Amino acid sequence: MRELKNKLTVGKNTKNTQRRKGKSFGYQILGFGSGAQKTIVSMEYLVIGGGGAGGAAFNSATAGGGGAGGLLTDTGYELFAGVPYSVTIGAGGTSEPSAATPLAPDSVFATITAKGGGRGGFASFNPLAGNGGSGGGQSDNNQGTGISGQGNDGGTGHPNNGAGGGGGAGAAGGNGNPSANPKAGGAGGVGAANPITGSPVTRAGGGGGAYSGSGGSGGGNDGGPGGNGPSAHGLPGSTNTGGGGGGGSGVGPGSGPNAGGAGGSGIVIVKYPDEFTISNPGGGLTISTPGAAGGFKVSSITAGTGNVEWSK
């Protein structure tokens, strides 16, 4: 029996055209030939990619904040019970001048891919701000571009006068302000609130640009202050939020006192009827299911790569 073809357009507000209303989520369909039946599980999901790292800098320059991981959410998403579906939780990006990949790792759930956030622009190095779920903030050159339906663009800035903040799921990164006294990095873009676990929780905030740009709400963290030394590090994005890391400032190699903060890891959260149980055949994933409430279970997948499967 082939997997059900979900007519889903990837985007933050898309709706599955095969959505079933009410709590009749565990319905069955007939297979071809043998008359075998397949049970369909209809669920809500939240998928967030790994957050982008803040950029690196030297000679008292200032680097851009990392963009948040892409955020995708929808209800009425349908999968077969008894069939394994792949899951990958994107790790947060790392900040190095020689890094060849300006994009943090993606998070994947079945047919859904939330892109990793773009790395913040490097000051006095060649790497540009990265494009991604949300784009990294500008330092020397471009600001990164976010993906429509997943995030927003990074802010603009200047390598010696306040770098741009990384974009967040809810807003673009702020622009650096070279005329401020003291000079100010752009704030990270705010994340987006989602109530899948109960009360709304904000995730996927962008990292602040160096010269102390504040991290965006939702796991983004602050850019380093102007100057040199270990205190000039950008701060890391929060784990399992897809938050962007803050941009660094200072001297030395990118792995030293001027490093940008690492991005926060992503997450996959699924809400489904409590008559079903989730499993991880073959292992490799960290899954937490605290218990049923209101007729539903909510499972958070916080690390690893593997498969998930539902059963009654």
Side-chain angles (χ1 to χ4, degrees), residues 8-123:
L8 182 72
T9 301
V10 175
K12 185 159 55 173
N13 297 312
T14 56
K15 298 297 178 187
N16 189 331
T17 59
Q18 298 183 13
R19 180 179 178 181
R20 306 283 175 157
K21 297 182 179 179
K23 193 174 179 294
S24 57
F25 292 100
Y27 58 92
Q28 297 180 323
I29 61 173
L30 293 177
F32 293 101
S34 67
Q37 292 181 324
K38 286 289 187 179
T39 300
I40 294 173
V41 189
S42 183
M43 64 190 70
E44 179 178 355
Y45 67 80
L46 175 67
V47 183
I48 301 176
F58 72 93
N59 292 337
S60 300
T62 57
L71 184 153
L72 293 169
T73 186
D74 201 0
T75 59
Y77 184 64
E78 296 171 342
L79 297 177
F80 283 132
V83 175
Y85 295 94
S86 62
V87 175
T88 296
I89 305 302
T94 58
S95 177
E96 295 292 342
S98 60
T101 54
L103 182 71
D106 302 339
S107 289
V108 177
F109 169 55
T111 62
I112 310 302
T113 298
K115 299 298 294 182
R119 185 186 60 199
F122 284 41

